[in-house]
Amino acid sequence: MNLKSLKIKGGIPLKGEICIQGSKNAVLPILAASLLGDGPVVIENCPVIGDVKDTLRIMKKLGCAVWQEGNVVRVDASAADGFMIEKEEAARIRSSVLFLGALLGKIKKAVLPQPGGCAIGARPIDLHLESLRQLGAVIEEEEDGWEEKQNQSQADPQRKAQSGMLTADGTHMHGARIRLRFPSVGATENSILAAVMLPGETIVEHAAQEPEIDQLCEFLNQRGAKIKREKNAIFIRGGAPLGPVRYRMKADRIVTGTYLLAAAASRGTVMIRNFSQELDALLLLLEKMGGSIEEQDGRLTFTMPHRARSSAFVETAPYPGFPTDLQSPLMAVLAGAEGVSMIKETLFENRFRTAGQLVRMGAQIEIRGSCAKITGCETLVGSVVEAPDLRGGAALAVAALQSEGISTITGMEYVERGYEDIARDLRMLGADVWEEEQK
């Protein structure tokens, strides 16, 4: 199988305008929510990415009629009666766990693999199961045999073995008050997907506040649901019929942040035409690093006219804190910034896997537990590096923009899960970028 590697010639400041793709982290739960209710759902500005492709494949196997042309997706789940997701399908995309709440809401039963860990660290779904059980779901967890786990781990050492199947029965589900121990995005979404079809009221306390959840609620409300948020609590008056809808996805804030950080690394100027409004933590940081920001008529222009300054200390946190998905691209900028910076990663224990690849480009990074110390280098060096995960691959592209010579980034299949075409986008901003087939 031939895979593409990305080549970038560094030292060219980005300059230009760009329109950001639709949100990956919002469209995946919205696609799961398309299983619910009656009538077709049309999603506009749907990102053309690997995770959407894999999600639609699962939906077809569940019996949905799916049509896609460019950035428009149409789903009709009227005849969908499947309730089982196979391991091979779920292994491609971790967010398949969102079908647990959607299937319980639609047909009161679900069978799907229990996700294992992933490249950025262990991501247990205990909070998902706790919240659904509080709604009355009966969920049984079946363990795989030791031999099967060993075979899975040996076949792909970067993917932890899945730990069995989940069998869920929603026959006696009901509205309830749920308090999450941690504001998990996925657990909040699964709670909403299940509760919106249940009679009575459900309250999700200590809910995640990420804007992608508000997009899910907006999508469902446009279909006839009755959902409202009050700070970190979400109130769902379930049982309202859900009808057809045409919904347009908002801009992806992580892709937006990636290209702003790319401008900072290359000492360039970028204008975002459809600016995502939920990036205050990043914008404040970019200003502290010496950048200039101007917002006008829904557009944002960012300029970094000189070498970025150290950020001193950054700690990732749930929204509205600094997003963990932008931690790796930020590290790439800081690797070439002036001064010493510290990053504390509070959410995923393997988010620092990108650091080793940055070191190959000349970065000075020390990892101590959940903290990374980055001593900025005046010059990074173009090298052959490998994307360790989705955001890590984007981070290596950011680093390559500020490096001397040509960098080659392999493992771009990770990046294609979340970015429509990072090479196209960077070329639009003036970068010298091209792709090559690797055998």
Side-chain angles (χ1 to χ4, degrees):
M1 178 180 181
N2 289 339
L3 298 174
K4 292 180 180 177
S5 61
L6 192 68
K7 288 184 172 287
I8 300 177
K9 182 179 180 181
I12 301 173
L14 295 187
K15 185 176 183 180
E17 302 179 10
I18 193 167
C19 189
I20 303 297
Q21 68 187 59
S23 171
K24 164 190 176 289
N25 290 340
V27 78
L28 299 181
I30 283 175
L31 285 172
S34 300
L35 280 174
L36 306 174
D38 299 313
V41 167
V42 178
I43 301 173
E44 299 177 343
N45 197 32
C46 179
V48 183
I49 55 176
D51 275 10
V52 166
K53 179 181 178 181
D54 290 336
T55 299
L56 293 178
R57 182 185 291 112
I58 290 174
M59 297 183 74
K60 288 179 182 178
K61 290 200 172 183
L62 292 174
C64 297
V66 175
W67 173 89
Q68 182 176 17
E69 184 173 343
N71 295 99
V72 179
V73 170
R74 185 181 186 273
V75 177
D76 191 337
S78 302
D81 58 0
F83 60 87
M84 177 178 290
I85 298 176
E86 299 175 357
K87 287 188 176 183
E88 300 77 39
E89 300 296 329
R92 293 191 182 96
I93 178 168
R94 184 185 160 77
S95 62
S96 60
V97 71
L98 295 174
F99 285 106
L100 180 57
L103 288 171
L104 286 173
K106 182 178 179 65
I107 55 179
K108 308 301 181 187
K109 58 183 176 181
V111 178
L112 69 161
Q114 179 168 309
C118 66
I120 60 173
R123 303 173 77 177
I125 62 166
D126 53 326
L127 295 177
H128 300 238
L129 305 185
E130 286 178 17
S131 61
L132 294 172
R133 283 170 172 149
Q134 289 179 65
L135 292 171
V138 177
I139 304 174
E140 297 181 1
E141 302 177 63
E142 175 189 343
E143 291 293 329
D144 278 341
W146 180 86
E147 183 176 354
E148 182 177 352
K149 287 185 182 181
Q150 286 293 103
N151 291 338
Q152 289 174 342
S153 297
Q154 292 169 4
D156 185 355
Q158 292 190 7
R159 181 187 298 279
K160 294 183 181 179
Q162 294 179 353
S163 53
M165 300 294 288
L166 296 172
T167 302
D169 185 335
T171 306
H172 302 293
M173 291 181 71
H174 50 77
R177 181 182 293 268
I178 300 168
R179 179 169 178 81
L180 297 175
R181 292 184 282 109
F182 177 83
S184 160
V185 173
T188 301
E189 291 167 343
N190 250 330
S191 299
I192 293 169
L193 291 168
V196 72
M197 302 300 291
L198 301 176
E201 184 175 61
T202 294
I203 303 173
V204 183
E205 298 178 339
H206 204 207
Q209 299 184 58
E210 272 69 7
E212 291 80 11
I213 292 173
D214 292 330
Q215 286 191 60
L216 172 62
C217 295
E218 180 181 74
F219 169 81
L220 288 168
N221 282 338
Q222 288 187 18
R223 299 190 68 189
K226 301 182 184 302
I227 307 173
K228 65 177 182 178
R229 177 195 285 279
E230 293 182 6
K231 295 183 179 180
N232 65 344
I234 296 176
F235 298 82
I236 306 161
R237 189 169 296 280
L242 304 181
V245 70
R246 179 178 288 268
Y247 185 81
R248 184 170 183 81
M249 299 304 306
K250 295 179 175 62
D252 190 306
R253 66 190 177 102
I254 304 304
V255 173
T256 302
T258 300
Y259 295 151
L260 291 175
L261 288 164
S266 68
R267 307 180 192 181
T269 298
V270 169
M271 188 179 80
I272 309 293
R273 292 200 296 270
N274 57 335
F275 174 61
S276 173
Q277 299 294 323
E278 297 89 6
L279 281 168
D280 288 352
L282 173 63
L283 296 181
L284 180 62
L285 180 62
L286 288 172
E287 286 185 318
K288 290 181 177 178
M289 294 169 65
S292 173
I293 296 169
E294 180 181 347
E295 293 185 58
Q296 187 175 11
D297 299 329
R299 301 184 178 193
L300 180 138
T301 301
F302 170 72
T303 300
M304 181 70 79
H306 48 70
R307 184 183 177 194
R309 296 193 295 264
S310 160
S311 66
F313 179 79
V314 177
E315 181 175 355
T316 61
Y319 187 84
F322 190 87
T324 182
D325 280 350
L326 288 177
Q327 182 257 98
S328 295
L330 173 63
M331 180 182 286
V333 178
L334 297 176
E338 184 178 355
V340 179
S341 305
M342 294 286 293
I343 297 178
K344 182 175 183 180
E345 173 58 54
T346 66
L347 299 176
F348 295 115
E349 69 272 16
N350 288 343
R351 275 289 196 196
F352 289 148
R353 294 176 74 222
T354 309
Q357 299 299 309
L358 292 173
V359 168
R360 296 181 66 175
M361 304 175 78
Q364 297 182 32
I365 303 172
E366 300 176 41
I367 305 298
R368 295 181 181 177
S370 62
C371 292
K373 178 183 176 182
I374 305 108
T375 302
C377 299
E378 189 166 348
T379 304
L380 298 179
V381 180
S383 305
V384 177
V385 290
E386 182 178 4
D389 51 60
L390 167 57
R391 306 304 175 185
L396 295 175
V398 170
L401 291 168
Q402 62 180 329
S403 299
E404 285 187 351
I406 296 173
S407 295
T408 301
I409 306 171
T410 64
M412 290 302 295
E413 63 272 17
Y414 283 117
V415 180
E416 291 171 351
R417 286 182 43 225
Y419 294 78
E420 280 192 346
D421 191 337
I422 196 169
R424 173 202 66 194
D425 291 346
L426 292 176
R427 276 194 296 266
M428 287 179 61
L429 296 172
D432 191 354
V433 180
W434 65 100
E435 294 170 295
E436 287 187 357
E437 297 288 340
Q438 60 183 73
K439 296 183 179 181

